[in-house]
Amino acid sequence: QVQLVESGGGSVQPGGSLRLSCAASGAIYEIHSVAWYRQAPGEQREWVATISIDDITNYADSVKGRFTISRDNAKNMVYLQMNSLKPDDTAVYYCNANRILTSGGLTIDDSWGQGTQVTVSS
């Protein structure tokens, strides 16, 4: 069974930094595009950033220039470096893999982690 687990969330002051990690575990052969989403209380989940299987990245305008998404395919890890954090960045952050191929030949679409809380407050 394939699982995504986020970590690295916490509380930080405005202007601070955090690095989120998304670890994929299981019998994984290949992970295609991975995205980070976030959901603030009372708000809809919103897309933050995506990294493709060949390292092409895209960002929401609200985080462009402050957040950096990266991946380590050898470790089945995806990261979100968040700098210059603002109170508006407060949310639960989720990682999503649009497609995972297992070593057993299965295709798993639309996998989500359980989320990690990020709170930006003075």
Side-chain angles (χ1 to χ4, degrees), residues 27 29 101-106:
Y29 172 72
L101 306 182
T102 73
S103 55
L106 296 176

Side-chain angles (χ1 to χ4, degrees), residues 41-52:
E43 302 289 333
Q44 290 189 335
R45 191 171 296 188
E46 67 170 349
W47 169 73
V48 175
T50 299
I51 185 164
S52 71

Side-chain angles (χ1 to χ4, degrees), residues 26-122:
I28 296 170
Y29 172 72
E30 188 174 76
I31 302 173
H32 289 205
S33 293
V34 178
W36 285 94
Y37 288 78
R38 65 187 182 186
Q39 187 167 19
E43 302 289 333
Q44 290 189 335
R45 191 171 296 188
E46 67 170 349
W47 169 73
V48 175
T50 299
I51 185 164
S52 71
I53 193 171
D54 49 0
D55 286 343
I56 296 173
T57 59
N58 284 287
Y59 298 91
D61 287 344
S62 59
V63 306
K64 201 171 293 183
R66 300 187 298 122
F67 291 10
T68 303
I69 189 171
S70 61
R71 64 191 294 165
D72 183 336
N73 291 331
K75 297 180 179 179
N76 291 328
M77 296 287 296
V78 174
Y79 305 99
L80 185 68
Q81 177 66 44
M82 306 187 297
N83 298 329
S84 302
L85 283 161
K86 306 174 181 179
D88 284 349
D89 296 317
T90 296
V92 178
Y93 284 71
Y94 300 88
C95 67
N96 168 267
N98 78 324
R99 176 161 290 179
I100 297 174
L101 306 182
T102 73
S103 55
L106 296 176
T107 298
I108 301 173
D109 289 334
D110 199 29
S111 298
W112 290 88
Q114 84 292 343
T116 186
Q117 175 70 47
V118 171
T119 302
V120 185
S121 174
S122 55

